[in-house]
Amino acid sequence: MEEDTDPVAALPDELRARTRAALLCCIAYIVQMLCWQNTYCAPDDLELEVKDESYCCLLYNDEVHTYDQVIKSLNRALDCTQKEAVDFATTVDREGRAVILNSSLVMCEEVRKIVGRNVVGRHSQPLKVLVMHRTVVAHQNFAMRLLAWIMQLTDNSDGLKVLLNNVLMEPGIFGLRSQTKFGKAELEQLEPLHSVVVKEPYNDMLRLSFLDLFFLADTIVWKNARVQSHQLFMGTMLMDPESKRRFSITFAKNYPKLIDAFIRDDHDHTMSIMSLSVQILTVPTLARLLIQNYNMLARVLSEFLGHCVNYKYPDGKFAFQRNQNYVEFKRAQFMLYDVKYLLTCRPHEWTESLRDNFLNGFGILLDLLGCMQGMDAVTRQVGQHIEYEPEWETAFNLHIKIGMFLPMFLEWCATDKDVLVRAYNMALQMLWSIQGRFQFVERDVGDSPVQCIDYDVATLPVSIHLPVSRLVAGLHLLLGDFDLTYDSPEFDGTDKPTPQELMEFSLRCQVMVAQSHAGMWRRNGYSLLHQIYLYHSVRCRGEMMDRDIVLLQIACSLLPPNDFLVMLMEKYHLLLWIRSSYEARPPPAQEDTIRQTIALVEEFLQLLIVLLGERYVPGVGQVSAEDCLRREIVHQLCISPMAHSELTKALPENANDETGLEDVVAQVAHFQKPRETVRGLYELKAECYSMYNPFFYHYTRSDQSKSEETQRKRVKTNHDGAEAKLFAQGCPPPRPPAFAPQFSKLLELLDCSLMLAIMRTVLERAAMARTRSFSEPQLQKVLHLIGMALHAQERQTRSKQSGPLRFMQRAADAGIFTALEALVEHPQAKHHKDLLTWVLKTYSAIKNLHSASVPEILVTEAIESGLAQISRDTAEKKVKMEAARVRQARILAQMSAMQRNFILENRELFDNTHTELTPCPSQNEMKAKAATINRSASHRSDEHESDDDGNQVALGAERTRASELDTQQAMCILCQETTDIRADGQVMVLAAFVQRSTVLAKCRRTEQHVDEVDAMFAPASMPLGTHTSTCGHIMHADCWQKFFDSIVAKERRRPIRLRQHLSFDVDKNEFLCPLCENLSNTVIPVLPPLSTLAAASGSGPHAEMLTLADWLDALEKTVSSSKPLVLSSSETGADSPDEMMTLLKPESLAAVCRKLKANVAANFQLLFSYVYDTGAVQSSELSESVVEMLQTFSQAAYTIGLNTLPQRENPRVPVSTWSTCAFTISAIEWHLRSEKKPLFGAFSSRHLDCLNALVRTAAVINHVSDIGVLKSHCVRLLSVLLDDKKDVAKETPCFLTIDLFTCLVETVFALPALYADPGKQQSVKVVPSGGENEKNLLTLFYVAHVVQILISLTRSKQGGKGDDMDTDEEDVLVTNEERREEKMLNKVLHSVFCHAGIDTEVAIVGVVASVREAALPFLRCAAIFFNFVTDIVPPKNLSADTIVDEYDSICSYLALPSSFSDLFASFSIRHLVSRWCQHPVVTGFLSSAMQGDEKVSDEKVSGGEVVTYPIKVNRLEELPPDYSELINHAALFT
């Protein structure tokens, strides 16, 4: 028994009736409320009994105003905060409208007026703001909910879908007044009816369906209502074939009204009902139905043509002006996509109505193309340059849009003879009506005169837009499939142009391009150059240049060959050039005329090569589309090997935006797989080089030069025979395919009398001693033409069929080969000797096949002479190369002998000379190399080969002991003297360059005033930093100072007018390194390793007993007990005498210890035992020169980093030095990460020198800074994480908004000064040593960074708690460990939300892997930093190219727990986390994240900037290799 296919029939009758009634009422209510016009009251039957006087002010979305304009307007009108304005703007953009005010009618009207008139920007239209009664808003919101409910309801039943479709599409449903309660008064309140339908009679209006009303109301309702209605259509009507058919019919009937409303609308195409056209017009059956029964093709094109009326001139041509607004025209061009959709699938069967309606559309297309024929015509400028660039982009954009479907029209015409004949007749008639009759002039070159069209391209307007002519060319290629020709009886009754008139416009275009290449149109500006570029570009050439060539080939096949050449030469103005008396004529007054004539001859010969050789067009040659694509690929790969993307861009696309590359490329190319630094490339197969044509018509001049150079390089590296090399060097013409029968007459062009005269003229002038009209490219192209003729003669001879071609005989009679023989030894032909030899050799081979009598002896002798000359040249080159090699070897032997003698004579001097950084003679050489400035990672890893590599620890009481380093030495590049590297001796410096950098920036912002910059806390987004680099060359400080003073003095003596030629500015303290001339602007002092300076503190056995919790408690008490101290400008060195500065003064170590337990106090004192070291030497520990260089570098970091004037006593000076150290480390880590290099195995020597000097300088800078300032800095840095007071001297930022690695580096350098005596200068021994203080600091900041990451992950990876999943038995331990880690982090995250005052359950799936990935950059930077602080060799696997378990290795090296459970195990840590999360910035960010605010990430929140982790490495934008391509992309941007 067959099942019932109607899903409605399966429903009970009563249910069907009740459902229909319910759907009818619901849809009627939805339509009524969404389109309700009276915003001040609801419909009578929906009004409340008690009138409420509450109104809403609604702001509607548009695509005209920007976010900033809307936000500024709301700020002014509502006096709201920036966040509230952003929220309003976001809601409007997402949903289409937003309620911005609930108040009385008067207040809402006032706000509406203010918002409307406060729009910022030129030519900005007012924002759409409506005042609506609260009841109307509520009903509209309920209507949206009801629409969503209907969609959900119909998803559960196919029968309900069909019932809904019937209700929506039933005609006259609006007339059921008893059910819908819609009368004439109610209908007039519907805005879409008022604007569109009320213009029609009331009875016609009642025949509309609900679907009609949804269509007509689409541009009236707001964005969210549009989206839901579109989803309703796609989920119901477009899912059922019959409903989809009825939907498409309704769409076609309303198409004119819909497109008119869309053009006036201000929303994007995706938000319009017109975007659904692709859903129905691409269905083959529906497209043919609409064309056949509803004339859809003609309807769409006529609507587009109707909207183009405003852009026509009185002559019927389109004319676009530069300052005209084309917004509506651009929106109207979306109709052209609908034409493309309609023609996507060709019909296999035709009906009369389908033919008629298709040709109706074709006729309207011809009207459209007729308006484009000849538009934007240009006239050559003579005398002066064009005053302003004309508008040309709009016309090309229109051509590109129409070019999408023109090939589709041709494909449709190719399927039916009747359609093709009628379309061809219509196109010929259109072309005839456009061009009319021409004026003719008689030209006589040979025996008979030729009538030529009198039109001078150099003086009269010429247009590059010829769509009608090119459409005729495309249709003509289809005639051969039905055995039709231009002169067939089917076309006799049509007024059609002659072949000469047919090609006239295309020939003018070719001549204009040739004259432009000859430099005759240079005064017409860039607009013409851009048009010519696009004319040849892959995007447009298929429907422009290629069609013009085909049209010229058509005319050539229909005209006598001599007449055709005369017509071409007349247009190129070469009829005088061909005459033998041309060289005897007096030279013209202007030299440009000669150059232009030579260039035009070259362009003319190029055109002849193209007309005769470009047969890879189906219909012109006996080829397929695959053959054409294969040839394109071959010629692109002849330029150079290409990647897949490059090759795809260079190939034309079909109607489906495909190139077909994958189907053909394997036949002609090998793919070279990508390697480390080389991407994958396609390389042409050796056997395919025979297809290479140097005059390929899709080559630009640059492509042609590159391809010829590639051939020459290939020959040099190839070891084939002499003949193969001769073939490749000469680049002879390849064997082309045979012409199609209707184009076979083109071969007669090769042996006509005028062509032979052209060849003879060029060859004779090449042999002349003096000639002014000859160039080598002319000879090359004539030889190429002769080679093409020989190929054609060979094909005809081998086929053993009599053909029209008699080139061998006629060329011999004309003296062509005699002239060729004379050129074999001629100097003007030496660059083309290979090609000339190939031509003669080919001629000899063909002559053996041919029976014609040709002087063989002369030809053979000439060939042998040419080959002998090549052999002599090769032998002579070999002799010269061998002589040069012998002479070079003799000179090298003499130099080597001289060196040995010099060394023997000066042995003692060489033994006492050291050119590298060396240790004392008594120490081991390898250990010293590991400690030098120029050490490498390999030396450092070899230093402890005997140690257990897995136990290398850099921090804490259990850290690995650093190797004993000895006194280092370095040689000055200026005085060549060697000096010990000591802190109390003569200082040596590195040339350095300090600059402001945004390389790490995650968001750009305007620069702040120097007084507003808090240099201590770098923002998390790193918008600006101070980067330091060095070239690594060492000098004595005194030598450098003398060198720099001499440069300054020399520059001061230089005249001002000559100073600009220097590459550096001495006013900015810039100079060039004396050795490598690298730009520098300061110097960094070279200091001994910190491990040799640091005092032994915090490493005793009792220090290990101090827990992290006790250490944190002691520092918390120190921070909380700190007191502000106000200093005057005289005490701080401030710029302004009235400026005061507040410092934080911590309590002494003894006072803090009194607040601690006895055992804790004793252990804590051990960590700062240097405070009581009364025997430490103070100021004499650093020499004066070292102090001076420290101040020099710190001032450079301060002045350049903050862009201010030097100020030695400013408290921000040490902070600037610390921050540039942190920024440089981060930048180097980014570089290593982006290059995928190991952390410690890939440092360059410059990076090693820079980091060594920079870290040591930043550590010792405390010695030249005020102790009170350093103590205050330390308290401020610690207060970010340890202070719970609301205010310190200056409010500290939230930890969420700062870069914690920079803060860590600054705190490590500042902490030794926390308990120092303010009355004494700090000892140089008080530097970071990698002890317990540094370990605890790193743990503290790492915990804060993990919390940073967890908070940022709440936005991107928020989800429910993951269910337990089944696992295999062997994975239970691993899985349990991972779950324990994940549970701990989610527990911490839950605690974060709870202490932030947000009661919610949040769990992130995969949080462990995400946090590890995001925290790795921080750990990598910390590992680099502490490695250079402690000089402890890192584990070997961190120096390997392939790193396994990098996270665990770094944690082990830094003495950090790799488990998050261990990291957060301490109660004190969890207590700190809870305190951090109570900060207003954290609570604000989390609240926004839970609300789904997409604008919070990476933007300013209250109190700072928050970034999202993990932070990705910044990279440069990929640019095309050819900048002209980039320029044209920008020019085509719409």
PDB file of all heavy atoms in Angstrom, residues 961-984:
ATOM      1  N   ARG A 961      74.907  25.474  41.509  1.00  0.00           N
ATOM      2  CA  ARG A 961      76.000  26.416  41.739  1.00  0.00           C
ATOM      3  C   ARG A 961      76.574  26.881  40.416  1.00  0.00           C
ATOM      4  O   ARG A 961      76.882  26.077  39.533  1.00  0.00           O
ATOM      5  CB  ARG A 961      77.091  25.762  42.570  1.00  0.00           C
ATOM      6  CG  ARG A 961      78.243  26.710  42.905  1.00  0.00           C
ATOM      7  CD  ARG A 961      79.272  25.997  43.749  1.00  0.00           C
ATOM      8  NE  ARG A 961      80.389  26.895  44.049  1.00  0.00           N
ATOM      9  CZ  ARG A 961      81.476  26.538  44.733  1.00  0.00           C
ATOM     10  NH1 ARG A 961      81.558  25.282  45.201  1.00  0.00           N
ATOM     11  NH2 ARG A 961      82.440  27.399  44.957  1.00  0.00           N
ATOM     12  N   ALA A 962      76.708  28.186  40.259  1.00  0.00           N
ATOM     13  CA  ALA A 962      77.289  28.733  39.031  1.00  0.00           C
ATOM     14  C   ALA A 962      78.783  28.445  39.000  1.00  0.00           C
ATOM     15  O   ALA A 962      79.452  28.355  40.034  1.00  0.00           O
ATOM     16  CB  ALA A 962      77.039  30.236  38.943  1.00  0.00           C
ATOM     17  N   SER A 963      79.290  28.281  37.799  1.00  0.00           N
ATOM     18  CA  SER A 963      80.716  27.997  37.647  1.00  0.00           C
ATOM     19  C   SER A 963      81.549  29.184  38.082  1.00  0.00           C
ATOM     20  O   SER A 963      81.132  30.338  37.988  1.00  0.00           O
ATOM     21  CB  SER A 963      81.016  27.656  36.187  1.00  0.00           C
ATOM     22  OG  SER A 963      80.673  28.750  35.357  1.00  0.00           O
ATOM     23  N   GLU A 964      82.732  28.920  38.556  1.00  0.00           N
ATOM     24  CA  GLU A 964      83.632  29.986  38.974  1.00  0.00           C
ATOM     25  C   GLU A 964      84.167  30.696  37.739  1.00  0.00           C
ATOM     26  O   GLU A 964      84.862  30.103  36.913  1.00  0.00           O
ATOM     27  CB  GLU A 964      84.782  29.398  39.800  1.00  0.00           C
ATOM     28  CG  GLU A 964      84.317  28.765  41.108  1.00  0.00           C
ATOM     29  CD  GLU A 964      85.480  28.239  41.914  1.00  0.00           C
ATOM     30  OE1 GLU A 964      86.626  28.418  41.446  1.00  0.00           O
ATOM     31  OE2 GLU A 964      85.251  27.675  42.992  1.00  0.00           O
ATOM     32  N   LEU A 965      83.815  31.946  37.657  1.00  0.00           N
ATOM     33  CA  LEU A 965      84.207  32.719  36.491  1.00  0.00           C
ATOM     34  C   LEU A 965      85.426  33.566  36.822  1.00  0.00           C
ATOM     35  O   LEU A 965      85.576  34.077  37.930  1.00  0.00           O
ATOM     36  CB  LEU A 965      83.039  33.603  36.038  1.00  0.00           C
ATOM     37  CG  LEU A 965      81.766  32.834  35.694  1.00  0.00           C
ATOM     38  CD1 LEU A 965      80.655  33.795  35.364  1.00  0.00           C
ATOM     39  CD2 LEU A 965      82.017  31.892  34.538  1.00  0.00           C
ATOM     40  N   ASP A 966      86.274  33.716  35.867  1.00  0.00           N
ATOM     41  CA  ASP A 966      87.529  34.429  36.074  1.00  0.00           C
ATOM     42  C   ASP A 966      87.485  35.789  35.387  1.00  0.00           C
ATOM     43  O   ASP A 966      86.551  36.116  34.664  1.00  0.00           O
ATOM     44  CB  ASP A 966      88.687  33.600  35.516  1.00  0.00           C
ATOM     45  CG  ASP A 966      88.700  32.199  36.109  1.00  0.00           C
ATOM     46  OD1 ASP A 966      88.914  32.072  37.320  1.00  0.00           O
ATOM     47  OD2 ASP A 966      88.441  31.253  35.337  1.00  0.00           O
ATOM     48  N   THR A 967      88.489  36.535  35.617  1.00  0.00           N
ATOM     49  CA  THR A 967      88.562  37.867  35.044  1.00  0.00           C
ATOM     50  C   THR A 967      88.556  37.788  33.517  1.00  0.00           C
ATOM     51  O   THR A 967      89.310  37.016  32.917  1.00  0.00           O
ATOM     52  CB  THR A 967      89.827  38.584  35.522  1.00  0.00           C
ATOM     53  OG1 THR A 967      89.845  38.593  36.953  1.00  0.00           O
ATOM     54  CG2 THR A 967      89.869  40.001  34.990  1.00  0.00           C
ATOM     55  N   GLN A 968      87.701  38.571  32.924  1.00  0.00           N
ATOM     56  CA  GLN A 968      87.578  38.572  31.470  1.00  0.00           C
ATOM     57  C   GLN A 968      88.377  39.731  30.883  1.00  0.00           C
ATOM     58  O   GLN A 968      88.666  40.718  31.565  1.00  0.00           O
ATOM     59  CB  GLN A 968      86.115  38.709  31.056  1.00  0.00           C
ATOM     60  CG  GLN A 968      85.218  37.654  31.666  1.00  0.00           C
ATOM     61  CD  GLN A 968      83.765  38.036  31.533  1.00  0.00           C
ATOM     62  OE1 GLN A 968      83.394  38.780  30.643  1.00  0.00           O
ATOM     63  NE2 GLN A 968      82.942  37.512  32.420  1.00  0.00           N
ATOM     64  N   GLN A 969      88.700  39.582  29.626  1.00  0.00           N
ATOM     65  CA  GLN A 969      89.424  40.617  28.907  1.00  0.00           C
ATOM     66  C   GLN A 969      88.735  40.885  27.578  1.00  0.00           C
ATOM     67  O   GLN A 969      88.091  39.994  27.013  1.00  0.00           O
ATOM     68  CB  GLN A 969      90.880  40.194  28.657  1.00  0.00           C
ATOM     69  CG  GLN A 969      91.708  40.046  29.919  1.00  0.00           C
ATOM     70  CD  GLN A 969      93.120  39.604  29.620  1.00  0.00           C
ATOM     71  OE1 GLN A 969      93.370  38.976  28.598  1.00  0.00           O
ATOM     72  NE2 GLN A 969      94.049  39.944  30.506  1.00  0.00           N
ATOM     73  N   ALA A 970      88.873  42.113  27.096  1.00  0.00           N
ATOM     74  CA  ALA A 970      88.289  42.493  25.812  1.00  0.00           C
ATOM     75  C   ALA A 970      89.200  43.486  25.136  1.00  0.00           C
ATOM     76  O   ALA A 970      89.918  44.245  25.794  1.00  0.00           O
ATOM     77  CB  ALA A 970      86.898  43.080  26.003  1.00  0.00           C
ATOM     78  N   MET A 971      89.148  43.504  23.807  1.00  0.00           N
ATOM     79  CA  MET A 971      89.993  44.401  23.030  1.00  0.00           C
ATOM     80  C   MET A 971      89.152  45.544  22.481  1.00  0.00           C
ATOM     81  O   MET A 971      88.071  45.325  21.922  1.00  0.00           O
ATOM     82  CB  MET A 971      90.668  43.655  21.877  1.00  0.00           C
ATOM     83  CG  MET A 971      91.498  44.564  20.979  1.00  0.00           C
ATOM     84  SD  MET A 971      92.283  43.686  19.615  1.00  0.00           S
ATOM     85  CE  MET A 971      93.530  42.764  20.508  1.00  0.00           C
ATOM     86  N   CYS A 972      89.635  46.724  22.634  1.00  0.00           N
ATOM     87  CA  CYS A 972      88.950  47.911  22.122  1.00  0.00           C
ATOM     88  C   CYS A 972      89.129  47.972  20.609  1.00  0.00           C
ATOM     89  O   CYS A 972      90.247  47.814  20.095  1.00  0.00           O
ATOM     90  CB  CYS A 972      89.514  49.160  22.778  1.00  0.00           C
ATOM     91  SG  CYS A 972      88.869  50.703  22.119  1.00  0.00           S
ATOM     92  N   ILE A 973      88.019  48.217  19.886  1.00  0.00           N
ATOM     93  CA  ILE A 973      88.096  48.279  18.431  1.00  0.00           C
ATOM     94  C   ILE A 973      88.730  49.573  17.946  1.00  0.00           C
ATOM     95  O   ILE A 973      89.080  49.678  16.761  1.00  0.00           O
ATOM     96  CB  ILE A 973      86.689  48.128  17.816  1.00  0.00           C
ATOM     97  CG1 ILE A 973      85.789  49.293  18.239  1.00  0.00           C
ATOM     98  CG2 ILE A 973      86.058  46.795  18.178  1.00  0.00           C
ATOM     99  CD1 ILE A 973      84.451  49.329  17.547  1.00  0.00           C
ATOM    100  N   LEU A 974      88.921  50.558  18.850  1.00  0.00           N
ATOM    101  CA  LEU A 974      89.504  51.834  18.445  1.00  0.00           C
ATOM    102  C   LEU A 974      91.007  51.884  18.689  1.00  0.00           C
ATOM    103  O   LEU A 974      91.774  52.264  17.803  1.00  0.00           O
ATOM    104  CB  LEU A 974      88.804  52.980  19.180  1.00  0.00           C
ATOM    105  CG  LEU A 974      87.327  53.199  18.818  1.00  0.00           C
ATOM    106  CD1 LEU A 974      86.718  54.285  19.679  1.00  0.00           C
ATOM    107  CD2 LEU A 974      87.196  53.570  17.343  1.00  0.00           C
ATOM    108  N   CYS A 975      91.441  51.500  19.909  1.00  0.00           N
ATOM    109  CA  CYS A 975      92.866  51.571  20.219  1.00  0.00           C
ATOM    110  C   CYS A 975      93.556  50.225  20.176  1.00  0.00           C
ATOM    111  O   CYS A 975      94.794  50.160  20.344  1.00  0.00           O
ATOM    112  CB  CYS A 975      93.072  52.210  21.598  1.00  0.00           C
ATOM    113  SG  CYS A 975      92.466  51.193  22.965  1.00  0.00           S
ATOM    114  N   GLN A 976      92.810  49.131  20.009  1.00  0.00           N
ATOM    115  CA  GLN A 976      93.345  47.781  19.888  1.00  0.00           C
ATOM    116  C   GLN A 976      94.067  47.328  21.155  1.00  0.00           C
ATOM    117  O   GLN A 976      94.906  46.431  21.106  1.00  0.00           O
ATOM    118  CB  GLN A 976      94.298  47.682  18.687  1.00  0.00           C
ATOM    119  CG  GLN A 976      93.657  47.993  17.346  1.00  0.00           C
ATOM    120  CD  GLN A 976      92.555  46.993  16.993  1.00  0.00           C
ATOM    121  OE1 GLN A 976      92.761  45.800  17.060  1.00  0.00           O
ATOM    122  NE2 GLN A 976      91.397  47.519  16.631  1.00  0.00           N
ATOM    123  N   GLU A 977      93.742  47.921  22.300  1.00  0.00           N
ATOM    124  CA  GLU A 977      94.329  47.510  23.568  1.00  0.00           C
ATOM    125  C   GLU A 977      93.373  46.570  24.292  1.00  0.00           C
ATOM    126  O   GLU A 977      92.159  46.730  24.231  1.00  0.00           O
ATOM    127  CB  GLU A 977      94.646  48.724  24.457  1.00  0.00           C
ATOM    128  CG  GLU A 977      95.762  49.611  23.914  1.00  0.00           C
ATOM    129  CD  GLU A 977      96.099  50.735  24.873  1.00  0.00           C
ATOM    130  OE1 GLU A 977      95.486  50.768  25.975  1.00  0.00           O
ATOM    131  OE2 GLU A 977      96.961  51.555  24.529  1.00  0.00           O
ATOM    132  N   THR A 978      93.951  45.632  25.048  1.00  0.00           N
ATOM    133  CA  THR A 978      93.168  44.657  25.797  1.00  0.00           C
ATOM    134  C   THR A 978      93.059  45.103  27.246  1.00  0.00           C
ATOM    135  O   THR A 978      94.056  45.525  27.855  1.00  0.00           O
ATOM    136  CB  THR A 978      93.817  43.273  25.719  1.00  0.00           C
ATOM    137  OG1 THR A 978      93.949  42.904  24.344  1.00  0.00           O
ATOM    138  CG2 THR A 978      92.974  42.231  26.430  1.00  0.00           C
ATOM    139  N   THR A 979      91.874  45.008  27.817  1.00  0.00           N
ATOM    140  CA  THR A 979      91.602  45.490  29.175  1.00  0.00           C
ATOM    141  C   THR A 979      90.777  44.458  29.924  1.00  0.00           C
ATOM    142  O   THR A 979      89.890  43.814  29.346  1.00  0.00           O
ATOM    143  CB  THR A 979      90.853  46.834  29.134  1.00  0.00           C
ATOM    144  OG1 THR A 979      91.604  47.765  28.351  1.00  0.00           O
ATOM    145  CG2 THR A 979      90.649  47.384  30.536  1.00  0.00           C
ATOM    146  N   ASP A 980      91.026  44.317  31.236  1.00  0.00           N
ATOM    147  CA  ASP A 980      90.229  43.438  32.080  1.00  0.00           C
ATOM    148  C   ASP A 980      88.845  44.051  32.293  1.00  0.00           C
ATOM    149  O   ASP A 980      88.698  45.275  32.438  1.00  0.00           O
ATOM    150  CB  ASP A 980      90.895  43.227  33.439  1.00  0.00           C
ATOM    151  CG  ASP A 980      92.183  42.421  33.317  1.00  0.00           C
ATOM    152  OD1 ASP A 980      92.343  41.751  32.271  1.00  0.00           O
ATOM    153  OD2 ASP A 980      93.012  42.484  34.240  1.00  0.00           O
ATOM    154  N   ILE A 981      87.833  43.188  32.332  1.00  0.00           N
ATOM    155  CA  ILE A 981      86.464  43.643  32.601  1.00  0.00           C
ATOM    156  C   ILE A 981      86.266  43.638  34.104  1.00  0.00           C
ATOM    157  O   ILE A 981      86.143  42.580  34.735  1.00  0.00           O
ATOM    158  CB  ILE A 981      85.425  42.734  31.907  1.00  0.00           C
ATOM    159  CG1 ILE A 981      85.688  42.680  30.409  1.00  0.00           C
ATOM    160  CG2 ILE A 981      84.017  43.224  32.192  1.00  0.00           C
ATOM    161  CD1 ILE A 981      85.569  44.018  29.722  1.00  0.00           C
ATOM    162  N   ARG A 982      86.254  44.814  34.724  1.00  0.00           N
ATOM    163  CA  ARG A 982      86.095  44.951  36.166  1.00  0.00           C
ATOM    164  C   ARG A 982      85.134  46.090  36.456  1.00  0.00           C
ATOM    165  O   ARG A 982      84.974  47.007  35.652  1.00  0.00           O
ATOM    166  CB  ARG A 982      87.448  45.218  36.838  1.00  0.00           C
ATOM    167  CG  ARG A 982      88.512  44.151  36.596  1.00  0.00           C
ATOM    168  CD  ARG A 982      89.827  44.537  37.248  1.00  0.00           C
ATOM    169  NE  ARG A 982      89.676  44.743  38.676  1.00  0.00           N
ATOM    170  CZ  ARG A 982      89.774  43.783  39.602  1.00  0.00           C
ATOM    171  NH1 ARG A 982      90.038  42.538  39.216  1.00  0.00           N
ATOM    172  NH2 ARG A 982      89.631  44.035  40.885  1.00  0.00           N
ATOM    173  N   ALA A 983      84.516  46.009  37.632  1.00  0.00           N
ATOM    174  CA  ALA A 983      83.595  47.070  38.035  1.00  0.00           C
ATOM    175  C   ALA A 983      84.319  48.263  38.621  1.00  0.00           C
ATOM    176  O   ALA A 983      83.757  49.364  38.660  1.00  0.00           O
ATOM    177  CB  ALA A 983      82.585  46.532  39.050  1.00  0.00           C
ATOM    178  N   ASP A 984      85.541  48.055  39.096  1.00  0.00           N
ATOM    179  CA  ASP A 984      86.280  49.152  39.722  1.00  0.00           C
ATOM    180  C   ASP A 984      87.464  49.589  38.883  1.00  0.00           C
ATOM    181  O   ASP A 984      88.373  50.241  39.389  1.00  0.00           O
ATOM    182  CB  ASP A 984      86.755  48.742  41.116  1.00  0.00           C
ATOM    183  CG  ASP A 984      87.577  47.457  41.072  1.00  0.00           C
ATOM    184  OD1 ASP A 984      87.686  46.869  39.975  1.00  0.00           O
ATOM    185  OD2 ASP A 984      88.106  47.045  42.123  1.00  0.00           O
TER     186      ASP A 984
END
